[in-house]
Amino acid sequence: MNLELNEEQAAVRQLAKDFVDREVAPHVTEWDRAEQVDRGIVKTMGDLGFLGLTIPEEYGGSGGDHFAYALVTEELGRGDSSVRGIVSVSLGLVAKSIAAWGSEEQKQAWLPRLTSGEALGCFGLTEPGTGSDAGNLTTRAVRDGGDWVINGTKMFITNGTWADVVLLFARTGAEPGHKGVSAFLVPTDTPGLSRREIHGKLGLRGQATAELVLEDVRVPASAMIAPEGKGFSVAMSALAKGRMSVAAGCVGIAQAALDAAVGYAGERDQFGKTIAHHQLVQELLADIALDVDAARLLTWRVADLIDRGKPFVTEASKAKLFASEAAVRCANNALQVFGGYGYIDEYPVGKLVRDARVMTLYEGTSQIQKLLIGRALTGVSAF
């Protein structure tokens, strides 16, 4: 693994950094308070190629490798995790799944729109009663002639009210657990599909998170993606790679915490000198810096393994586990450096604390990651 960025990777990273500094950073507080980012940012990211990374150019993608994708999602996470989430879900979970599992017709219908930012996707897996236990979801699709009729409810769906298509997981077979789950591409304007945005979230407030209710939603048989009964495989393969982008976004949060804390420590005077002179403050900064570097290297390893076609699933769990917990520590330590001012939303670190906290919960909780790592180490089933 090469730990030095090549010229192309450095250029992609700089493009993302400039975008964040210009188009995201100035609006973060406003979007957080309003609980909505500016929707126009989606098209801008499409124009820059961020929504098409790793997708073949023949389908409108911008190509590139997973290392470039990790670099971009880190920078987006540094700017605003709500913006990073838009990309991680629409590209990372939906478009990549269509590219990997979809029919030629499905690829032609959706990938050019998703990669350009003309359309957004959301990932319909989590339900009110099934989060970590996704294999026991209750949304059901029943065959009716040449169609499938779907009924159920999905919860905490990122991009839910903005999305044009749902990669939806429903039970189609009588088999218990994951064997009876299939996946469908469901346009969000399909009759019977209603959406309710969830407000009052602790963090990721600018992100459109929703509940989806499906009441006799009818889709053609051609809406199924991958063979019947393979939906859980579609979901797990998406989440395995998705954990890399979440980890990268957490590195971005941690880096933002470090930047803010170092900057403030050099400006704030206490006891006749800046607090950067005080050793206990230096200790806080050192702890943040160490977590940033460790989380970044774990994440880069996953990207490198994916790009070389090597096994990466356990390494992705390690990166997601460490980086998400590190982001919480880094943001909390940065708030400590800021003192009372860190508790006011005019300063950046309070939002970092709130955004970091959910990273240990979604796309596999920290406890689930530990189970997956433990299972890989022992060969003993975690469930």
Side-chain angles (χ1 to χ4, degrees), residues 317 321 325 365-377 382:
S317 285
L321 170 62
E325 296 289 348
T365 64
S366 292
Q367 287 68 37
I368 288 292
Q369 304 312 322
K370 289 179 180 180
L371 287 173
L372 293 172
I373 295 165
R375 179 169 63 179
L377 290 170

Side-chain angles (χ1 to χ4, degrees), residues 25 145 165 231 294 297 302 340 365:
V165 63
L297 290 173
V302 178
T365 64

